[in-house]
PDB file of all heavy atoms in Angstrom:
ATOM      1  N   PRO A   1     -78.141  34.019  10.129  1.00  0.00           N
ATOM      2  CA  PRO A   1     -78.848  35.178   9.396  1.00  0.00           C
ATOM      3  C   PRO A   1     -80.344  34.861   9.352  1.00  0.00           C
ATOM      4  O   PRO A   1     -81.179  35.825   9.434  1.00  0.00           O
ATOM      5  CB  PRO A   1     -78.141  35.297   8.031  1.00  0.00           C
ATOM      6  CG  PRO A   1     -76.758  34.682   8.242  1.00  0.00           C
ATOM      7  CD  PRO A   1     -76.961  33.602   9.253  1.00  0.00           C
ATOM      8  N   ARG A   2     -80.706  33.804   8.925  1.00  0.00           N
ATOM      9  CA  ARG A   2     -82.175  33.428   8.618  1.00  0.00           C
ATOM     10  C   ARG A   2     -82.935  33.578  10.010  1.00  0.00           C
ATOM     11  O   ARG A   2     -84.019  34.104  10.009  1.00  0.00           O
ATOM     12  CB  ARG A   2     -82.359  31.926   8.088  1.00  0.00           C
ATOM     13  CG  ARG A   2     -83.758  31.673   7.741  1.00  0.00           C
ATOM     14  CD  ARG A   2     -83.928  30.225   7.098  1.00  0.00           C
ATOM     15  NE  ARG A   2     -83.197  30.066   5.969  1.00  0.00           N
ATOM     16  CZ  ARG A   2     -83.105  28.957   5.184  1.00  0.00           C
ATOM     17  NH1 ARG A   2     -83.627  27.908   5.699  1.00  0.00           N
ATOM     18  NH2 ARG A   2     -82.496  28.920   4.024  1.00  0.00           N
ATOM     19  N   GLU A   3     -82.240  32.993  11.025  1.00  0.00           N
ATOM     20  CA  GLU A   3     -82.922  33.201  12.307  1.00  0.00           C
ATOM     21  C   GLU A   3     -83.134  34.620  12.787  1.00  0.00           C
ATOM     22  O   GLU A   3     -84.038  34.996  13.444  1.00  0.00           O
ATOM     23  CB  GLU A   3     -82.277  32.203  13.436  1.00  0.00           C
ATOM     24  CG  GLU A   3     -82.347  30.734  13.118  1.00  0.00           C
ATOM     25  CD  GLU A   3     -83.734  30.387  13.016  1.00  0.00           C
ATOM     26  OE1 GLU A   3     -84.596  30.660  13.979  1.00  0.00           O
ATOM     27  OE2 GLU A   3     -84.124  29.610  12.133  1.00  0.00           O
ATOM     28  N   GLU A   4     -82.028  35.272  12.545  1.00  0.00           N
ATOM     29  CA  GLU A   4     -81.949  36.733  12.920  1.00  0.00           C
ATOM     30  C   GLU A   4     -83.042  37.505  12.163  1.00  0.00           C
ATOM     31  O   GLU A   4     -83.793  38.317  12.804  1.00  0.00           O
ATOM     32  CB  GLU A   4     -80.569  37.381  12.591  1.00  0.00           C
ATOM     33  CG  GLU A   4     -80.532  38.799  12.913  1.00  0.00           C
ATOM     34  CD  GLU A   4     -79.310  39.435  12.318  1.00  0.00           C
ATOM     35  OE1 GLU A   4     -79.076  39.197  11.110  1.00  0.00           O
ATOM     36  OE2 GLU A   4     -78.710  40.415  12.945  1.00  0.00           O
ATOM     37  N   LYS A   5     -83.134  37.282  10.934  1.00  0.00           N
ATOM     38  CA  LYS A   5     -84.191  37.911  10.081  1.00  0.00           C
ATOM     39  C   LYS A   5     -85.524  37.562  10.614  1.00  0.00           C
ATOM     40  O   LYS A   5     -86.507  38.556  10.764  1.00  0.00           O
ATOM     41  CB  LYS A   5     -84.119  37.591   8.626  1.00  0.00           C
ATOM     42  CG  LYS A   5     -84.961  38.256   7.694  1.00  0.00           C
ATOM     43  CD  LYS A   5     -84.806  37.986   6.189  1.00  0.00           C
ATOM     44  CE  LYS A   5     -85.606  38.810   5.355  1.00  0.00           C
ATOM     45  NZ  LYS A   5     -85.298  38.476   3.919  1.00  0.00           N
ATOM     46  N   LYS A   6     -85.849  36.312  10.830  1.00  0.00           N
ATOM     47  CA  LYS A   6     -87.090  35.943  11.403  1.00  0.00           C
ATOM     48  C   LYS A   6     -87.432  36.656  12.638  1.00  0.00           C
ATOM     49  O   LYS A   6     -88.549  37.062  12.974  1.00  0.00           O
ATOM     50  CB  LYS A   6     -87.197  34.344  11.533  1.00  0.00           C
ATOM     51  CG  LYS A   6     -88.579  33.817  11.888  1.00  0.00           C
ATOM     52  CD  LYS A   6     -88.424  32.298  12.259  1.00  0.00           C
ATOM     53  CE  LYS A   6     -87.764  31.554  11.197  1.00  0.00           C
ATOM     54  NZ  LYS A   6     -87.719  29.981  11.627  1.00  0.00           N
ATOM     55  N   TYR A   7     -86.533  36.630  13.599  1.00  0.00           N
ATOM     56  CA  TYR A   7     -86.638  37.331  14.897  1.00  0.00           C
ATOM     57  C   TYR A   7     -87.030  38.863  14.720  1.00  0.00           C
ATOM     58  O   TYR A   7     -87.855  39.197  15.358  1.00  0.00           O
ATOM     59  CB  TYR A   7     -85.304  37.170  15.710  1.00  0.00           C
ATOM     60  CG  TYR A   7     -85.150  37.877  17.038  1.00  0.00           C
ATOM     61  CD1 TYR A   7     -85.534  37.220  18.138  1.00  0.00           C
ATOM     62  CD2 TYR A   7     -84.692  39.087  17.126  1.00  0.00           C
ATOM     63  CE1 TYR A   7     -85.548  37.751  19.427  1.00  0.00           C
ATOM     64  CE2 TYR A   7     -84.636  39.792  18.338  1.00  0.00           C
ATOM     65  CZ  TYR A   7     -85.017  39.169  19.519  1.00  0.00           C
ATOM     66  OH  TYR A   7     -84.923  39.654  20.702  1.00  0.00           O
ATOM     67  N   VAL A   8     -86.252  39.606  13.799  1.00  0.00           N
ATOM     68  CA  VAL A   8     -86.450  40.931  13.755  1.00  0.00           C
ATOM     69  C   VAL A   8     -87.755  41.206  12.966  1.00  0.00           C
ATOM     70  O   VAL A   8     -88.617  42.105  13.467  1.00  0.00           O
ATOM     71  CB  VAL A   8     -85.327  41.564  12.855  1.00  0.00           C
ATOM     72  CG1 VAL A   8     -85.582  43.112  12.535  1.00  0.00           C
ATOM     73  CG2 VAL A   8     -83.959  41.507  13.597  1.00  0.00           C
ATOM     74  N   GLN A   9     -88.065  40.312  11.948  1.00  0.00           N
ATOM     75  CA  GLN A   9     -89.284  40.560  11.241  1.00  0.00           C
ATOM     76  C   GLN A   9     -90.449  40.544  12.243  1.00  0.00           C
ATOM     77  O   GLN A   9     -91.595  41.202  12.030  1.00  0.00           O
ATOM     78  CB  GLN A   9     -89.353  39.708  10.081  1.00  0.00           C
ATOM     79  CG  GLN A   9     -90.584  39.945   9.127  1.00  0.00           C
ATOM     80  CD  GLN A   9     -90.368  41.335   8.483  1.00  0.00           C
ATOM     81  OE1 GLN A   9     -89.357  41.698   8.020  1.00  0.00           O
ATOM     82  NE2 GLN A   9     -91.365  42.292   8.578  1.00  0.00           N
ATOM     83  N   LYS A  10     -90.486  39.561  13.088  1.00  0.00           N
ATOM     84  CA  LYS A  10     -91.527  39.341  14.027  1.00  0.00           C
ATOM     85  C   LYS A  10     -91.794  40.562  14.896  1.00  0.00           C
ATOM     86  O   LYS A  10     -93.031  41.033  15.106  1.00  0.00           O
ATOM     87  CB  LYS A  10     -91.227  38.148  15.034  1.00  0.00           C
ATOM     88  CG  LYS A  10     -92.460  37.745  15.926  1.00  0.00           C
ATOM     89  CD  LYS A  10     -92.185  36.535  16.912  1.00  0.00           C
ATOM     90  CE  LYS A  10     -93.368  36.034  17.594  1.00  0.00           C
ATOM     91  NZ  LYS A  10     -94.095  37.205  18.281  1.00  0.00           N
ATOM     92  N   GLN A  11     -90.737  41.273  15.402  1.00  0.00           N
ATOM     93  CA  GLN A  11     -90.929  42.484  16.147  1.00  0.00           C
ATOM     94  C   GLN A  11     -91.516  43.571  15.195  1.00  0.00           C
ATOM     95  O   GLN A  11     -92.451  44.402  15.692  1.00  0.00           O
ATOM     96  CB  GLN A  11     -89.725  43.003  16.795  1.00  0.00           C
ATOM     97  CG  GLN A  11     -88.994  41.850  17.723  1.00  0.00           C
ATOM     98  CD  GLN A  11     -89.962  41.284  18.629  1.00  0.00           C
ATOM     99  OE1 GLN A  11     -90.707  41.905  19.333  1.00  0.00           O
ATOM    100  NE2 GLN A  11     -90.052  39.928  18.720  1.00  0.00           N
ATOM    101  N   ILE A  12     -91.015  43.679  14.005  1.00  0.00           N
ATOM    102  CA  ILE A  12     -91.578  44.810  13.085  1.00  0.00           C
ATOM    103  C   ILE A  12     -93.066  44.630  12.947  1.00  0.00           C
ATOM    104  O   ILE A  12     -93.855  45.470  12.873  1.00  0.00           O
ATOM    105  CB  ILE A  12     -90.694  44.672  11.751  1.00  0.00           C
ATOM    106  CG1 ILE A  12     -89.289  45.256  12.064  1.00  0.00           C
ATOM    107  CG2 ILE A  12     -91.561  45.551  10.786  1.00  0.00           C
ATOM    108  CD1 ILE A  12     -88.395  45.056  10.925  1.00  0.00           C
ATOM    109  N   ASN A  13     -93.394  43.269  12.604  1.00  0.00           N
ATOM    110  CA  ASN A  13     -94.831  42.860  12.295  1.00  0.00           C
ATOM    111  C   ASN A  13     -95.755  43.079  13.687  1.00  0.00           C
ATOM    112  O   ASN A  13     -96.745  43.824  13.594  1.00  0.00           O
ATOM    113  CB  ASN A  13     -95.025  41.517  11.936  1.00  0.00           C
ATOM    114  CG  ASN A  13     -94.297  41.300  10.561  1.00  0.00           C
ATOM    115  OD1 ASN A  13     -94.064  42.195   9.882  1.00  0.00           O
ATOM    116  ND2 ASN A  13     -94.122  39.998  10.119  1.00  0.00           N
ATOM    117  N   ASP A  14     -95.209  42.630  14.812  1.00  0.00           N
ATOM    118  CA  ASP A  14     -96.000  42.694  16.080  1.00  0.00           C
ATOM    119  C   ASP A  14     -96.189  44.060  16.498  1.00  0.00           C
ATOM    120  O   ASP A  14     -97.401  44.359  17.070  1.00  0.00           O
ATOM    121  CB  ASP A  14     -95.352  41.755  17.108  1.00  0.00           C
ATOM    122  CG  ASP A  14     -95.384  40.328  16.907  1.00  0.00           C
ATOM    123  OD1 ASP A  14     -96.094  39.952  15.959  1.00  0.00           O
ATOM    124  OD2 ASP A  14     -94.710  39.552  17.637  1.00  0.00           O
ATOM    125  N   LEU A  15     -95.265  44.937  16.315  1.00  0.00           N
ATOM    126  CA  LEU A  15     -95.385  46.239  16.752  1.00  0.00           C
ATOM    127  C   LEU A  15     -95.779  47.398  15.653  1.00  0.00           C
ATOM    128  O   LEU A  15     -95.818  48.490  15.912  1.00  0.00           O
ATOM    129  CB  LEU A  15     -93.957  46.765  17.463  1.00  0.00           C
ATOM    130  CG  LEU A  15     -93.594  46.017  18.646  1.00  0.00           C
ATOM    131  CD1 LEU A  15     -92.185  46.296  19.005  1.00  0.00           C
ATOM    132  CD2 LEU A  15     -94.510  46.398  19.779  1.00  0.00           C
ATOM    133  N   SER A  16     -95.956  46.786  14.492  1.00  0.00           N
ATOM    134  CA  SER A  16     -96.365  47.577  13.244  1.00  0.00           C
ATOM    135  C   SER A  16     -95.493  48.765  13.111  1.00  0.00           C
ATOM    136  O   SER A  16     -95.842  49.875  12.911  1.00  0.00           O
ATOM    137  CB  SER A  16     -97.865  48.228  13.614  1.00  0.00           C
ATOM    138  OG  SER A  16     -98.776  47.086  13.767  1.00  0.00           O
ATOM    139  N   VAL A  17     -94.044  48.363  12.948  1.00  0.00           N
ATOM    140  CA  VAL A  17     -93.137  49.462  12.710  1.00  0.00           C
ATOM    141  C   VAL A  17     -93.247  49.933  11.226  1.00  0.00           C
ATOM    142  O   VAL A  17     -93.253  49.072  10.314  1.00  0.00           O
ATOM    143  CB  VAL A  17     -91.694  48.939  12.996  1.00  0.00           C
ATOM    144  CG1 VAL A  17     -90.726  50.024  12.676  1.00  0.00           C
ATOM    145  CG2 VAL A  17     -91.515  48.505  14.412  1.00  0.00           C
ATOM    146  N   LYS A  18     -93.463  51.127  10.910  1.00  0.00           N
ATOM    147  CA  LYS A  18     -93.585  51.609   9.561  1.00  0.00           C
ATOM    148  C   LYS A  18     -92.257  51.787   9.001  1.00  0.00           C
ATOM    149  O   LYS A  18     -91.490  52.802   9.409  1.00  0.00           O
ATOM    150  CB  LYS A  18     -94.485  52.961   9.514  1.00  0.00           C
ATOM    151  CG  LYS A  18     -95.978  52.720   9.767  1.00  0.00           C
ATOM    152  CD  LYS A  18     -96.551  54.070   9.684  1.00  0.00           C
ATOM    153  CE  LYS A  18     -98.142  53.912  10.013  1.00  0.00           C
ATOM    154  NZ  LYS A  18     -98.930  55.244   9.896  1.00  0.00           N
ATOM    155  N   CYS A  19     -91.864  51.044   8.013  1.00  0.00           N
ATOM    156  CA  CYS A  19     -90.483  51.189   7.466  1.00  0.00           C
ATOM    157  C   CYS A  19     -90.518  50.615   6.054  1.00  0.00           C
ATOM    158  O   CYS A  19     -91.447  49.838   5.651  1.00  0.00           O
ATOM    159  CB  CYS A  19     -89.433  50.511   8.252  1.00  0.00           C
ATOM    160  SG  CYS A  19     -89.770  48.688   8.637  1.00  0.00           S
ATOM    161  N   ALA A  20     -89.457  50.983   5.313  1.00  0.00           N
ATOM    162  CA  ALA A  20     -89.315  50.410   3.927  1.00  0.00           C
ATOM    163  C   ALA A  20     -88.887  49.077   4.020  1.00  0.00           C
ATOM    164  O   ALA A  20     -89.375  48.141   3.178  1.00  0.00           O
ATOM    165  CB  ALA A  20     -88.461  51.325   3.106  1.00  0.00           C
ATOM    166  N   GLU A  21     -87.903  48.878   4.897  1.00  0.00           N
ATOM    167  CA  GLU A  21     -87.369  47.415   5.094  1.00  0.00           C
ATOM    168  C   GLU A  21     -86.596  47.424   6.337  1.00  0.00           C
ATOM    169  O   GLU A  21     -86.198  48.468   6.889  1.00  0.00           O
ATOM    170  CB  GLU A  21     -86.426  47.184   3.839  1.00  0.00           C
ATOM    171  CG  GLU A  21     -85.322  48.078   3.713  1.00  0.00           C
ATOM    172  CD  GLU A  21     -84.256  47.727   2.561  1.00  0.00           C
ATOM    173  OE1 GLU A  21     -84.421  46.676   2.130  1.00  0.00           O
ATOM    174  OE2 GLU A  21     -83.334  48.577   2.318  1.00  0.00           O
ATOM    175  N   MET A  22     -86.159  46.261   6.753  1.00  0.00           N
ATOM    176  CA  MET A  22     -85.539  46.135   8.063  1.00  0.00           C
ATOM    177  C   MET A  22     -84.179  46.655   8.123  1.00  0.00           C
ATOM    178  O   MET A  22     -83.542  46.959   9.151  1.00  0.00           O
ATOM    179  CB  MET A  22     -85.530  44.738   8.633  1.00  0.00           C
ATOM    180  CG  MET A  22     -84.644  43.690   7.859  1.00  0.00           C
ATOM    181  SD  MET A  22     -84.670  42.130   8.683  1.00  0.00           S
ATOM    182  CE  MET A  22     -86.383  41.580   8.709  1.00  0.00           C
ATOM    183  N   ASP A  23     -83.519  46.905   6.842  1.00  0.00           N
ATOM    184  CA  ASP A  23     -82.170  47.348   6.821  1.00  0.00           C
ATOM    185  C   ASP A  23     -82.124  48.927   6.614  1.00  0.00           C
ATOM    186  O   ASP A  23     -81.134  49.419   6.394  1.00  0.00           O
ATOM    187  CB  ASP A  23     -81.435  46.626   5.476  1.00  0.00           C
ATOM    188  CG  ASP A  23     -81.092  45.116   5.940  1.00  0.00           C
ATOM    189  OD1 ASP A  23     -80.739  44.875   7.048  1.00  0.00           O
ATOM    190  OD2 ASP A  23     -81.397  44.380   5.020  1.00  0.00           O
ATOM    191  N   GLN A  24     -83.364  49.470   6.738  1.00  0.00           N
ATOM    192  CA  GLN A  24     -83.298  50.922   6.690  1.00  0.00           C
ATOM    193  C   GLN A  24     -82.743  51.615   7.984  1.00  0.00           C
ATOM    194  O   GLN A  24     -82.953  50.925   9.002  1.00  0.00           O
ATOM    195  CB  GLN A  24     -84.813  51.341   6.735  1.00  0.00           C
ATOM    196  CG  GLN A  24     -85.081  52.855   6.555  1.00  0.00           C
ATOM    197  CD  GLN A  24     -86.590  53.065   6.447  1.00  0.00           C
ATOM    198  OE1 GLN A  24     -87.376  52.250   6.367  1.00  0.00           O
ATOM    199  NE2 GLN A  24     -86.884  54.413   6.709  1.00  0.00           N
ATOM    200  N   TYR A  25     -82.032  52.626   7.880  1.00  0.00           N
ATOM    201  CA  TYR A  25     -81.499  53.269   9.038  1.00  0.00           C
ATOM    202  C   TYR A  25     -82.581  53.663   9.997  1.00  0.00           C
ATOM    203  O   TYR A  25     -83.646  54.359   9.552  1.00  0.00           O
ATOM    204  CB  TYR A  25     -80.623  54.506   8.691  1.00  0.00           C
ATOM    205  CG  TYR A  25     -79.166  54.210   8.292  1.00  0.00           C
ATOM    206  CD1 TYR A  25     -78.718  52.847   8.066  1.00  0.00           C
ATOM    207  CD2 TYR A  25     -78.205  55.106   8.011  1.00  0.00           C
ATOM    208  CE1 TYR A  25     -77.458  52.485   7.778  1.00  0.00           C
ATOM    209  CE2 TYR A  25     -76.977  54.808   7.772  1.00  0.00           C
ATOM    210  CZ  TYR A  25     -76.594  53.512   7.478  1.00  0.00           C
ATOM    211  OH  TYR A  25     -75.292  53.155   7.206  1.00  0.00           O
TER     212      TYR A  25
END
């Protein structure tokens, strides 16, 4: 889980995805 979260957060940050959190639909 920790590695998954780090992996996903990097893409959210790098691509500037506007969202409340990564678990948002």
Side-chain angles (χ1 to χ4, degrees):
R2 185 180 294 178
E3 293 303 312
E4 179 195 40
K5 186 174 181 180
K6 190 190 301 181
Y7 176 91
V8 173
Q9 192 62 54
K10 184 177 189 307
Q11 300 315 310
I12 291 173
N13 294 343
D14 288 354
L15 293 167
S16 301
V17 179
K18 289 182 182 177
C19 59
E21 57 175 355
M22 67 171 64
D23 290 317
Q24 180 180 350
Y25 275 9

